Amino acid sequence: MVRVGIVGAGNTIGIAGMHIQGYLRIPEAKITAVYDIIQERSQEYTDKFQLEEAKACRSYEELLSEVDAVSLCTPNAYHVELAIQALKAGKHVLCEKPFGTNARECEPALSYAESSGKVCMIGLCYRGIPAYMYLKQLIDEGALGDIFYVRQSLGGSRIADPRAKLEWRMQKALSGPGAMADFGSHMLDIGDMLIRNTAGPITELQCMSVTCLKERDRVNGNGTGIVDNDDIASFSAKTEKGVLLSYTASRVGSRHTTEVYGSGGSAFFDGSDPFSLRIQKKDPDGGYREAPETVKVPEELYLINDYVPKEGFAVNFYFEMRNFIDAIEKGVPAATDFSRGIYIQRLIDALWESSKTGCSVPIDFQ
């Protein structure tokens, strides 16, 4: 049994709740502690999710004394410090994405992870969406032929409201880039995961970004403050074999979609249905002759036990927590370990550089 502590209850999205729901579906995991810098939130979460045996802790040190592993759901700027503290205490670490505010600050955590022998993961949970599992299988099997290009969009609309307060996500010191990192981390991970085997790694990136609402009311009053990271980022990538990827990350309105086009056909994913793809076949030596067809993800690909949720969003968090616990208990590989996290962080750093300089950035790391 792995005793898990939840760190950071959150004030807006509350991503900790998704972590909790994932762990509650795993018999080998038990949530034994919750900690937030605002004490009342810790108790609210233990009550809300009926965590009767979980302790609402008064400090991070107290939480570490009660657990074997932690889920870090805090603002990005605190990920590295909290991860290192947990590793020094001999705990396994699952850290929300992105790894930090920039790659350089993440390097000490990676060093501790590599020497600790503990399981360390970054929460790139979108790869646990069944439709992405199926899409990767189709690409690897050659069902879409040679891949020409990939297009993705991801984001949300909550921050489109100008009355939304100046939260930590809008401050570069606490978040790093904005939509570019928040949603871009997922898209970069998914795009690379889908086509690296057939198209090679990313070798070049280019990005443009804008801040649409440049000033917002402060969370605790005291007037307004400046938004100093991006609301929208549009970026592109090229792989070693010349495949192009196009991305749009937006926190002022977006749909979650992914399109893949190849010599043998195309596949379209709509985030509103994580259990199907719209596929259109193509003659590799000719054009499209058949109408697109909606294809359900084979249930045997993701219904691996009776605990798997059949609801969107919940299902990918379940697979994230399942991988984390299995890595601890059974020694299976962590799909998104800290080395993966710092790779994605370096790509985000390159996007930020490109958006500031107006130039494409060559990528010389894999």
Side-chain angles (χ1 to χ4, degrees):
M1 178 69 66
V2 179
R3 300 174 303 153
V4 179
I6 305 296
V7 184
N11 190 39
T12 50
I13 300 298
I15 204 68
M18 301 308 299
H19 284 237
I20 291 170
Q21 291 179 58
Y23 288 124
L24 291 176
R25 289 180 171 271
I26 300 172
E28 300 90 342
K30 182 179 181 181
I31 299 172
T32 56
V34 178
Y35 169 66
D36 190 272
I37 57 172
I38 299 176
Q39 175 67 20
E40 293 77 10
R41 290 182 190 162
S42 304
Q43 190 61 56
E44 286 171 4
Y45 260 59
T46 59
D47 295 340
K48 177 180 178 179
F49 293 98
Q50 299 179 340
L51 305 175
E52 297 175 359
E53 298 182 58
K55 186 175 184 179
C57 297
R58 295 183 178 276
S59 70
Y60 186 44
E61 291 76 12
E62 182 182 11
L63 176 137
L64 291 175
S65 72
E66 301 283 340
V67 304
D68 306 306
V70 295
S71 263
L72 302 180
C73 305
T74 66
N76 305 340
Y78 305 118
H79 288 171
V80 170
E81 175 187 353
L82 294 172
I84 290 175
Q85 191 173 345
L87 289 168
K88 286 182 175 179
K91 312 304 176 182
H92 306 280
V93 179
L94 172 56
C95 175
E96 260 300 325
K97 58 75 199 168
F99 200 163
T101 62
N102 61 72
R104 179 173 293 180
E105 77 171 25
C106 300
E107 290 170 1
L110 178 61
S111 296
Y112 274 104
E114 291 174 340
S115 62
S116 70
K118 297 299 178 181
V119 173
C120 296
M121 280 180 57
I122 299 294
L124 295 163
C125 66
Y126 277 48
R127 57 169 56 212
I129 294 173
Y132 281 139
M133 298 179 187
Y134 189 37
L135 181 54
K136 177 169 173 53
Q137 178 178 299
L138 292 174
I139 291 171
D140 286 348
E141 291 174 349
L144 300 180
D146 296 329
I147 302 304
F148 294 150
Y149 81 99
V150 178
R151 179 165 58 192
Q152 296 186 71
S153 63
L154 181 62
S157 58
R158 179 179 63 86
I159 293 175
D161 186 343
R163 295 169 298 179
K165 304 293 186 182
L166 183 69
E167 62 190 59
W168 66 265
R169 291 176 181 82
M170 306 167 190
Q171 301 173 60
K172 192 172 187 295
L174 295 175
S175 174
M180 187 189 303
D182 193 8
F183 303 112
S185 56
H186 282 306
M187 291 192 290
L188 288 165
D189 178 58
I190 291 298
D192 181 74
M193 178 197 75
L194 289 176
I195 68 171
R196 176 183 280 254
N197 288 349
T198 55
I202 290 172
T203 57
E204 186 178 359
L205 284 168
Q206 191 164 26
C207 179
M208 291 189 292
S209 64
V210 295
T211 305
C212 302
L213 299 167
K214 297 179 173 61
E215 192 174 64
R216 292 178 183 266
D217 291 334
R218 298 183 186 277
V219 172
N220 297 318
N222 299 320
T224 61
I226 301 300
V227 177
D228 61 358
N229 61 15
D230 55 291
D231 286 328
I232 305 169
S234 294
F235 50 100
S236 56
K238 181 186 286 187
T239 73
E240 185 177 60
K241 296 186 179 179
V243 176
L244 295 180
L245 301 100
S246 174
Y247 307 87
T248 301
S250 167
R251 61 188 184 191
V252 292
S254 179
R255 293 180 62 198
H256 180 192
T257 62
T258 296
E259 302 166 70
V260 180
Y261 295 88
S263 61
S266 64
F268 175 77
F269 167 67
D270 184 331
S272 65
D273 181 2
F275 303 101
S276 69
L277 292 170
R278 192 150 180 83
I279 296 174
Q280 186 174 20
K281 295 180 180 179
K282 174 185 171 297
D283 182 350
D285 298 318
Y288 286 95
R289 297 193 179 94
E290 300 179 16
E293 177 185 6
T294 298
V295 178
K296 289 292 183 182
V297 177
E299 290 190 347
E300 61 268 21
L301 191 64
Y302 67 95
L303 289 181
I304 57 174
N305 57 47
D306 294 336
Y307 299 104
V308 178
K310 298 180 180 179
E311 300 81 36
F313 215 47
V315 64
N316 45 292
F317 275 95
Y318 169 80
F319 280 113
E320 178 183 298
M321 279 71 210
R322 180 76 266 176
N323 184 204
F324 184 49
I325 298 301
D326 283 349
I328 296 170
E329 290 272 274
K330 303 176 183 178
V332 303
T336 55
D337 62 13
F338 274 16
S339 63
R340 179 65 173 180
I342 204 166
Y343 170 73
I344 297 299
Q345 191 69 59
R346 286 170 177 153
L347 293 179
I348 294 169
D349 287 358
L351 294 179
W352 184 262
E353 178 185 349
S354 176
S355 72
K356 294 305 176 186
T357 64
C359 300
S360 63
V361 176
I363 303 301
D364 58 2
F365 52 85
Q366 297 186 15

